[in-house]
Amino acid sequence: MIAKISRGWRAEGLIRYLMGPGRFNEHTGQRVVATWDGAPETHQPPQATDDSFDVRDLVDGLSAPAVAAGVGLREPVVEQGKRMPQGPVWHCSLRNSPEDPVLTDEQWARVVEDLMDRTGIARRDDLDGCRWVAIRHADDHVHVAAVLVRQEFGKRVHPYRDFVRARETCRAAEAELGLAATAGADRSSVTGPSQAEQEKAARREVDETSREWLRRMARVAAVQARDPEAFVAALGDLGVLVRPRYGPGEPDAESGERYAPMVGYSLAAPGDVTQAGQPVWFAGRTLARDLSLPNLQQRWGSAPAPAAPAGAAEEKHRAAVSPRERAAAIDDAVSTMEHATATLAAGDTGASADGIAHAAGDMLTAVGAVTGRQDEGERVRRHAGNDLDRATRVPGQVLPSRWSPVAKALRQSAWRLAATRTVGRHGEGDGARLVLALAALVAEIAALREAQSRLAQADAARRSCTGLRSSAPATSTRTSGSGPGRTKTTSRQRPQQTPPGPARGPKGRQENQTRGRGR
C-alpha cells in the first residue's frame, strides 16, 4: 500500500473532484466509506444528475469548524516572490497494488481510522479531533480529505511527520490484510512526475516528462565528466539548458585573482516553458539527491580517473577515441562487470556490496549511452535504468558509506566506457556483450537485496534484469562492423543518430535543435 499526501485550501473543490466523474470519467461508484463521526451513511451526497452528486451538505459539515473559527478556505493573496503558506485542507490517497485482493468498504474504513489516529489529525475517542471523510471511487484506492481545525476549540492542527506516520499505517495494513509488502521510507528516493507534468508532456507530444528526461541526461553527463565544468559542457552537448550557480569568490594563491567556485546548478528542457515563456528549471537535488553537486563531486572522487584516450585533445572535454581504445574500453567494462558479478555471488552483503550496486548504476548509464539512443531496445533499457536506480539506493543514505576496490574499478570502467561515446562499428555484438554482462550483474544485485530483506528493491532489480536481457537482441542487430576477432558484416548500415531529447515527435525534433551551454 502506498500513501501520498498533499495540502491545499479548497475543501469544496477537492470533494467535488473526488465525488465527480474524474478528468477522464475514471471515477465509478463514488461513495463515502468513512467519516469523522463513524456514520458515513448519513453523509452520502445525493445524486444530482447521472454523473454528478450534490456535495454541499458534505462540504458544509466537513468545513464547519474552520468556518466557525474564521479559518479561511481560500488561497490568501501573497506578495510576489513569497511562498504560499500551507492550507488547512489535508489530502491523502491510499492505493493498493494491482495484485492485492479488493478490500471491502469496512476494511478501508479501519485503515483510514488508523491513519487519522497515527497522524494525530483525529485520535480515537477524541471528540475534539479534526473532521475528515474517506471517499472511494475505485477498487484499489481511497482518498481521505480532512480540514485541520479542531472541532470544539477551533485550533489549527499541524500534523508532525505525517508522511512517516502514513507509511507506518500502510505497513500495518499490509501485515493485517495480507497485502503486497512495500519498502519503508528510505529518504533517498527520487520524486516522480506529478500529474500536471505528465499531462504537459502529453500536450507537448513527448514520451517522458521534463523531470524524467533531465534526470536521465544529468546521469549521462555525470559519467562523461569528472568535474563541474566538464559536467556543464556535457549537459550542453546533450541539448540541456544549464544554469550554474556560483559561490563567493576565493583568491587564487598564485595570481591573487578571485575565483568563484560552482556550488550548484539548475537544468531545463528545451521547449518546456511557463505561461510567461520562461524555462521551467529543476535544481539538481530535486531531480535526485545523488545528483546534487556536492554528491556528484563525492562520486567523482570515489575512484581514480581513467587514463585519457590516446590522441585526446587537452582543451576539449569530448576527445576523439581510436578504434583500439574503444575496443579496449568495451573489453574492460565487460571484464569488470563479470568480476563484480562474481564478487556479489560470493555472498558479500555488507557496505562494500552496496558500493558495487551503486556503481552498477553508473555502468548502466554508460552502457545506455554508448549503445545508441535510437535502436529498438533504447526505451526498454530506459525503464530498466529507472528500476535499477531504485535498487541501487541505500535506505537512509544518499551514497554508500564505503567504496570497495571492486566498486571503484566498476565506476572507473563506466567512466572509461562513457568516454568512447558509442560502440561504433567495431564488431557485431559489442552492444549485446555489454548489455548481457550488465544483466548478469543486476541479477546478483537482486539476490543481494533479497538477502538484505529489501524486497521492493529486489523486485525492481529483477525487473531491470528482465528488461536488459530483452533489449540485448535489438542491441546486437544494431551494431555492426569489423575488428580483431569479430565477424565482418557489410549488409547493415549504422542508423542515423539524432540529438537526444524528451521528445520523439515532430515538435521534439525541432526542440532538440536548441542546445544550452553554461559556464
Side-chain angles (χ1 to χ4, degrees), residues 199-269:
E199 292 175 354
K200 188 175 186 180
R203 291 194 303 271
R204 296 177 60 221
E205 299 180 4
V206 297
D207 60 1
E208 59 183 333
T209 64
S210 294
R211 180 188 299 273
E212 294 169 309
W213 181 72
L214 290 172
R215 182 185 297 132
R216 189 160 55 88
M217 293 299 101
R219 294 201 184 283
V220 172
V223 300
Q224 292 176 343
R226 290 281 302 160
D227 56 66
E229 290 74 18
F231 178 65
V232 169
L235 286 167
D237 284 346
L238 292 169
V240 179
L241 304 178
V242 190
R243 186 172 64 183
R245 188 174 74 256
Y246 296 95
E250 298 178 359
D252 183 78
E254 298 181 358
S255 64
E257 297 181 0
R258 300 191 70 83
Y259 168 73
M262 181 174 163
V263 296
Y265 67 96
S266 298
L267 307 180

Side-chain angles (χ1 to χ4, degrees), residues 57-409:
D57 290 344
L58 177 59
V59 173
D60 290 344
L62 185 66
S63 308
V67 173
V71 176
L73 293 176
R74 290 290 186 273
E75 298 93 335
V77 177
V78 297
E79 297 180 11
Q80 186 175 4
K82 292 191 175 181
R83 298 182 61 180
M84 175 73 69
Q86 284 190 322
V89 178
W90 188 87
H91 171 221
C92 178
S93 63
L94 297 168
R95 184 180 298 273
N96 282 343
S97 170
E99 293 78 22
D100 285 334
V102 176
L103 302 185
T104 65
D105 290 352
E106 291 73 18
Q107 289 173 317
W108 275 120
R110 291 201 302 271
V111 173
V112 174
E113 289 168 0
D114 185 41
L115 173 68
M116 294 294 96
D117 182 65
R118 289 176 184 267
T119 57
I121 294 174
R123 299 286 187 185
R124 289 187 175 93
D125 302 325
D126 181 7
L127 299 180
D128 193 30
C130 301
R131 292 191 174 186
W132 56 271
V133 59
I135 295 175
R136 184 177 188 179
H137 50 221
D139 287 341
D140 62 349
H141 69 277
V142 296
H143 293 265
V144 186
V147 177
L148 301 178
V149 178
R150 297 185 71 82
Q151 296 185 56
E152 294 185 10
F153 298 103
K155 183 179 179 181
R156 285 283 301 270
V157 173
H158 301 279
Y160 177 66
R161 302 183 73 189
D162 51 349
F163 289 87
V164 177
R165 304 298 172 236
R167 185 89 285 271
E168 293 174 356
T169 302
C170 293
R171 299 293 294 275
E174 291 165 1
E176 178 184 352
L177 302 173
L179 307 178
T182 53
D186 62 17
R187 303 180 183 273
S188 63
S189 60
V190 300
T191 301
S194 66
Q195 183 174 352
E197 291 173 345
Q198 295 177 34
E199 292 175 354
K200 188 175 186 180
R203 291 194 303 271
R204 296 177 60 221
E205 299 180 4
V206 297
D207 60 1
E208 59 183 333
T209 64
S210 294
R211 180 188 299 273
E212 294 169 309
W213 181 72
L214 290 172
R215 182 185 297 132
R216 189 160 55 88
M217 293 299 101
R219 294 201 184 283
V220 172
V223 300
Q224 292 176 343
R226 290 281 302 160
D227 56 66
E229 290 74 18
F231 178 65
V232 169
L235 286 167
D237 284 346
L238 292 169
V240 179
L241 304 178
V242 190
R243 186 172 64 183
R245 188 174 74 256
Y246 296 95
E250 298 178 359
D252 183 78
E254 298 181 358
S255 64
E257 297 181 0
R258 300 191 70 83
Y259 168 73
M262 181 174 163
V263 296
Y265 67 96
S266 298
L267 307 180
D272 184 13
V273 297
T274 64
Q275 291 184 346
Q278 298 299 315
V280 179
W281 295 100
F282 294 84
R285 189 182 186 280
T286 64
L287 296 174
R289 292 183 65 186
D290 64 339
L291 289 178
S292 68
L293 187 60
N295 286 323
L296 284 176
Q297 290 175 317
Q298 183 177 344
R299 183 191 303 188
W300 291 328
S302 66
E314 293 183 0
E315 70 278 6
K316 294 183 179 180
H317 73 278
R318 182 170 184 162
V321 179
S322 67
R324 185 181 297 277
E325 166 60 24
R326 181 177 291 111
I330 293 172
D331 290 341
D332 176 60
V334 172
S335 175
T336 305
M337 283 188 281
E338 290 175 346
H339 181 57
T341 301
T343 301
L344 292 181
D348 185 0
T349 59
S352 59
D354 286 335
I356 295 174
H358 193 275
D362 272 10
M363 182 60 78
L364 187 146
T365 300
V367 170
V370 302
T371 54
R373 304 182 182 94
Q374 304 301 325
D375 69 297
E376 296 176 2
E378 186 272 338
R379 180 174 295 188
V380 177
R381 287 193 297 278
R382 184 199 309 170
H383 291 299
N386 293 337
D387 287 328
L388 183 60
D389 177 68
R390 181 179 185 184
T392 58
R393 294 194 297 265
V394 181
Q397 297 178 217
V398 179
L399 298 176
S401 58
R402 178 172 175 267
W403 302 102
S404 67
V406 178
K408 293 179 180 180

